[in-house]
Amino acid sequence: MRLQGKVALITGAGSGIGKLTAETFAREGARVVVADVVDEAGRATVDGIRAAGGEAEYVHCDVSVAEEVEAMVAFTVGRFGKLDVMMNNAGIFHARDGSVIDTDEETWDRTIAINLKGVFLGSKYGVRAMLDSGGGSLINVASFVALMGAAVPQIAYTASKGGVLSMTREIAVEFARRGIRANALCPGPIETPLLAELLADPAARQRRLVHIPIGRFGQGQEIANAALFLASDESSLMTGAALVVDGGITAAYITPE
């Protein structure tokens, strides 16, 4: 098992990529702490892991609140004695997020609070705990839009993910010689409930799909597999990297028909 003996904490693990990653980490031997703001969903993830023979616990956490993030990490260390893998996955895409000239301040502030401040807080307390544990792997979920402009205006989301990528690089450089690896995971559009809601309109869906050279949206398990690689010792030489899993979007200038 690739994560045997490791303790992993994943935010936003009640659904989507976070849920699949928690299940994948547990299958690979990790003891997993599932964090989410939706208690029913988070507990369901834990129940599923336990039913499959894995070991998991749930903790409620709003990642935009420092006290809750600090308590989340303290819970993990208190329950399992250490922290080896911290995955800052929780994030939102606000329905009112659009052009820089149209997006309201409330939408901007809420998106930045969760997507960027939340990763800052998770990194702050997660790195502290991993240092005490002798090192570890920090995985911050950014996006392909951290590397290029989005085809559809989404200024707050794009800015937040760009910030995650830059912040991850800085953390990587600072802690590289103290046993901490920090990498950003940059997915393309993934078939999740969030994407299904955003792209319920077939025309909107096609506008996104045409930009993907591989010809399809990604699956959540494909991102979970990439996270597993970053969490495991197989990626021991990687830090400060942006692992792009996007079906070729960021490589393309003109998408083939």
Side-chain angles (χ1 to χ4, degrees):
M1 291 186 177
R2 297 158 73 184
L3 299 181
Q4 188 67 46
K6 294 186 184 293
V7 174
L9 169 56
I10 305 170
T11 65
S15 63
I17 291 168
K19 179 178 185 291
L20 289 167
T21 302
E23 294 168 347
T24 300
F25 282 12
R27 283 197 303 271
E28 291 292 335
R31 292 170 289 172
V32 179
V33 173
V34 169
D36 208 287
V37 73
V38 181
D39 294 335
E40 183 178 0
R43 291 192 178 107
T45 299
V46 169
D47 289 344
I49 290 172
R50 289 175 176 171
E55 192 170 356
E57 298 286 349
Y58 174 70
V59 60
H60 175 95
C61 183
D62 179 341
V63 298
S64 69
V65 179
E67 293 80 7
E68 293 194 19
V69 177
E70 184 176 17
M72 170 186 72
V73 175
F75 171 85
T76 302
V77 175
R79 175 66 180 85
F80 292 122
K82 62 174 182 173
L83 178 63
D84 300 298
V85 180
M86 175 76 209
M87 182 171 174
N88 290 304
N89 167 74
I92 64 167
F93 186 104
H94 203 292
R96 295 199 303 272
D97 191 2
S99 168
V100 68
I101 62 174
D102 298 321
T103 300
D104 60 84
E105 191 173 355
E106 181 183 356
T107 297
W108 172 272
D109 288 345
R110 184 59 177 159
T111 301
I112 296 298
I114 296 174
N115 291 8
L116 185 55
K117 180 185 176 184
V119 174
F120 158 71
L121 292 172
S123 299
K124 177 185 181 75
Y125 295 107
V127 168
R128 286 181 180 178
M130 287 190 289
L131 287 171
D132 290 340
S133 303
S137 174
L138 177 69
I139 305 167
N140 291 332
V141 179
S143 168
F144 75 101
V145 299
L147 300 165
M148 63 188 301
V152 178
Q154 48 184 43
I155 190 65
Y157 183 85
T158 297
S160 71
K161 295 302 186 178
V164 168
L165 183 54
S166 295
M167 179 167 56
T168 303
R169 289 176 179 142
E170 176 137 340
I171 293 168
V173 171
E174 180 178 359
F175 293 98
R177 298 195 179 186
R178 299 180 66 185
I180 303 293
R181 296 187 299 107
N183 293 290
L185 184 54
C186 298
I190 304 299
E191 292 276 13
T192 64
L194 175 61
L195 184 70
E197 181 180 343
L198 290 171
L199 302 182
D201 176 13
R205 185 178 181 87
Q206 185 57 32
R207 281 198 302 273
R208 296 292 183 96
L209 192 59
V210 73
H211 293 285
I212 307 175
I214 207 168
R216 64 173 176 83
F217 295 116
Q219 298 298 313
Q221 187 60 52
E222 292 173 310
I223 307 305
N225 292 342
L228 173 61
F229 171 67
L230 292 177
S232 75
D233 293 338
E234 293 168 11
S235 58
S236 58
L237 192 60
M238 287 181 65
T239 196
L243 182 57
V244 182
V245 188
D246 70 349
I249 296 174
T250 54
Y253 173 61
I254 298 175
T255 304
E257 296 182 359

